[in-house]
Amino acid sequence: MILITGGAGYIGSHCAIDFMKQGYEVIILDNLSTGHMEIIERLRDFSFKEDVKGSFVDFINADIRDTYALNVLFNTYKIDCVVHFAADALVNESVIDPKKYYNNNVIGSINLLNAMVENNVKKIVFSSTCATYGEPEYIPIDEKHPQKPVNPYGNTKLAMEFAIKDYAKAYGLKYTIFRYFNVIGADSEGISGEWHDIETHLVPNILKADESRVFKLFGEDYDTKDGTCIRDYIDVCDLAHAHTLAYEYLKENTSTIVNLGTGEGQSVKEIFAAVEKALDKKIPLENCPRREGDPAKLIANPELSKNILGWEAKTPLEDSVKNANEWEKTLKSLNNVKNPEPQENFSRKAIL
């Protein structure tokens, strides 16, 4: 049985989809601070499809900072592996409010590790980030690149990488730590996609642009092929499948840390052009000055993930953009529906 923390969010929900497709039972823990109950309902419906081999076992509305809820959860279900996504992930917000990020991303995650140790759960797949590398010293970035985060978000993720490695050495945990690059797209069946109250990601912001909401392009004077930032964009479904492979790998192998990226980079202008092509229309654009702290290039070296997990990105950029656009259409209808009330949770308040 697989516990997915943050499974009502963007990447976590796609991970749940992939695990169920591969025949696994899934439990989701989410406090719905950024996730959505509608996604939980859609995942539950998906699990009943005839071609889905696994099952959606339960949704727990609780917080990883709630040690009581975690203990009840681990005592109630026989969990074999934790796939940990639950975290705050806005870089600018982390600079303004680092207390929030250390409280959730570090203290909450330590609570989770403690619950695993106390309940003899030995496997964890952890969602880290290329933000732990900081300003790149060379491109493409491999796993041996120095880790020098430049913001509290990256610091909290790096802190948890150290914690997981220390817990593994002391308590016998086995882990896969994934350092993500830029994630885009949505599943082709329209079950989930990007749904953020504050949207900071490139593709959905281009898709949302219209005459009343112009897309802002930050910086045209970088040392790149067209003057705009270059990033490594990986489809969310490809990324999700890596987590299933990581769990299967941990059954027989030792711990590992790998990048998840394509090994190729697209500029902001190239992504913008791909979205215009998918929509078959011109999108209003405003050129703005650079944002402080944006590196010119961030591209992964994904060779280790291929060699160790047999994983590589397969989804073409055009398909990622197309699926993201279809999800935006779905999202408009979902935003017009009142968020369903979450079902039972394991918090002390709810039980008492």
Side-chain angles (χ1 to χ4, degrees):
M1 195 173 293
I2 310 297
L3 171 63
I4 301 177
T5 70
Y10 176 42
I11 299 176
S13 60
H14 285 86
C15 187
I17 291 168
D18 197 84
F19 269 104
M20 285 188 283
K21 283 182 176 179
Q22 305 306 319
Y24 293 105
E25 294 181 323
V26 168
I27 302 169
I28 288 176
L29 172 72
D30 200 300
N31 67 2
L32 299 180
S33 60
T34 56
H36 299 272
M37 191 63 200
E38 291 96 336
I39 297 298
I40 295 297
E41 297 296 340
R42 294 167 78 84
L43 289 172
R44 187 175 281 122
D45 291 343
F46 171 73
S47 71
F48 290 118
K49 294 185 67 172
E50 289 185 3
D51 58 343
V52 177
K53 303 172 186 176
S55 62
F56 187 107
V57 176
D58 207 351
F59 165 65
I60 312 302
N61 176 28
D63 195 297
I64 57 173
R65 290 166 290 190
D66 186 339
T67 56
Y68 181 81
L70 289 176
N71 286 329
V72 173
L73 170 61
F74 278 91
N75 277 286
T76 302
Y77 297 98
K78 186 173 178 57
I79 295 165
D80 187 52
C81 179
V82 175
V83 185
H84 182 32
F85 297 100
D88 292 309
L90 296 176
V91 170
N92 290 340
E93 183 186 52
S94 77
V95 175
I96 296 168
D97 190 7
K99 179 175 68 174
K100 175 182 179 182
Y101 278 68
Y102 280 93
N103 188 30
N104 190 22
N105 296 7
V106 177
I107 294 174
S109 296
I110 293 295
N111 288 344
L112 184 65
L113 290 179
N114 290 341
M116 289 177 62
V117 171
E118 291 164 10
N119 291 277
N120 200 35
V121 177
K122 296 294 189 180
K123 293 185 280 294
I124 183 169
V125 181
F126 178 61
S127 164
S128 191
T129 170
C130 65
T132 64
Y133 294 123
E135 293 288 339
E137 297 181 7
Y138 56 83
I139 298 290
I141 299 170
D142 59 24
E143 292 79 3
K144 295 180 181 179
H145 188 286
Q147 289 180 282
K148 300 176 182 179
V150 296
N151 54 66
Y153 167 65
N155 287 335
T156 62
K157 287 293 189 177
L158 182 56
M160 284 314 304
E161 288 195 19
F162 281 118
I164 290 169
K165 287 185 280 188
D166 288 340
Y167 270 61
K169 184 176 180 180
Y171 307 118
L173 300 186
K174 293 170 65 176
Y175 61 82
T176 298
I177 294 173
F178 283 130
R179 294 175 186 153
Y180 301 163
F181 283 67
N182 290 61
V183 188
I184 60 171
D187 73 282
S188 59
E189 297 181 68
I191 302 161
S192 185
E194 297 205 56
W195 189 356
H196 306 120
D197 292 334
I198 301 174
E199 186 55 74
T200 61
H201 292 171
L202 178 62
V203 171
N205 273 322
I206 300 174
L207 289 168
K208 293 177 191 296
D210 55 31
E211 296 303 327
S212 63
R213 181 177 178 175
V214 176
F215 172 72
K216 294 183 178 181
L217 191 158
F218 293 97
E220 287 187 290
D221 58 348
Y222 289 93
D223 184 18
T224 61
K225 53 190 171 184
D226 61 17
T228 63
C229 288
I230 291 176
R231 297 291 183 265
D232 190 332
Y233 294 95
I234 175 175
D235 187 86
V236 67
C237 295
D238 291 340
L239 184 99
H241 186 55
H243 294 73
T244 309
L245 294 176
Y247 167 61
E248 293 169 348
Y249 175 86
L250 286 176
K251 292 178 183 178
E252 304 294 337
N253 298 281
T254 57
S255 301
T256 188
I257 300 174
V258 296
N259 290 333
L260 287 183
T262 66
E264 300 178 359
Q266 285 86 29
S267 71
V268 174
K269 284 186 176 179
E270 287 174 328
I271 297 295
F272 186 84
V275 175
E276 281 193 324
K277 182 178 179 181
L279 270 58
D280 192 25
K281 71 173 187 180
K282 285 291 182 181
I283 298 172
L285 172 68
E286 177 185 353
N287 291 311
C288 302
R290 289 188 187 192
R291 293 180 299 194
E292 185 177 353
D294 276 349
K297 297 180 183 178
L298 287 174
I299 301 173
N301 182 334
E303 285 302 309
L304 193 60
S305 61
K306 182 178 180 180
N307 294 339
I308 290 179
L309 301 178
W311 175 91
E312 57 186 325
K314 296 180 179 180
T315 306
L317 175 63
E318 294 77 11
D319 289 352
S320 297
V321 171
K322 176 183 175 183
N323 291 334
N325 184 44
E326 290 302 312
W327 170 252
E328 281 296 319
K329 297 175 185 178
T330 301
L331 189 55
K332 288 179 181 178
S333 63
L334 288 174
N335 277 323
N336 292 327
V337 178
K338 185 178 183 297
N339 198 26
E341 288 296 322
Q343 298 181 357
E344 66 169 317
N345 65 46
F346 283 173
S347 70
R348 182 183 297 273
K349 180 179 178 182
I351 293 173
L352 298 179

